[in-house]
Amino acid sequence: MEVLVMITTESSKTNALRMAKLLIQNKLAACVSIKQIFSIYEWDNDIEETKEFEITIKSKPEFKDDLIDFLNKISTYNVPQIIYKKYYSEMKYYDWINKTI
């Protein structure tokens, strides 16, 4: 059984927590994990180094487009990182996701 795992980032813990709670409240995610990371990337011809918060969203594959729209609306970034993949899940976890959202 397939589940959707989508990853995005936010610039602060406050923004990440806000996003996670909205995803759960709007029934777009069954679970959201947040961890602090350190990112190095190019932006406007400069190399940036910054602390960020990685947000891992566990959801249903059929919610992919709704999640992308939602994240583009609420992200504080001009170009939010939105990457995703479908994974096979153990049946109990799959059932839990489907009962939760």
Side-chain angles (χ1 to χ4, degrees), residues 4 6 8 12 34 47 52 89:
L4 177 70
M6 188 170 286
T8 191
S12 73
I34 300 169
I47 295 184
E52 293 184 292
S89 168

Side-chain angles (χ1 to χ4, degrees), residues 33-44:
S33 303
I34 300 169
K35 65 181 172 184
Q36 188 170 348
I37 60 172
F38 188 79
S39 298
I40 301 171
Y41 56 93
E42 185 178 319
W43 186 258
D44 290 335

Side-chain angles (χ1 to χ4, degrees), residues 5 13 33 43 45 48 51:
V5 176
K13 185 176 180 180
S33 303
W43 186 258
N45 295 318
E48 301 288 332
K51 289 181 184 174

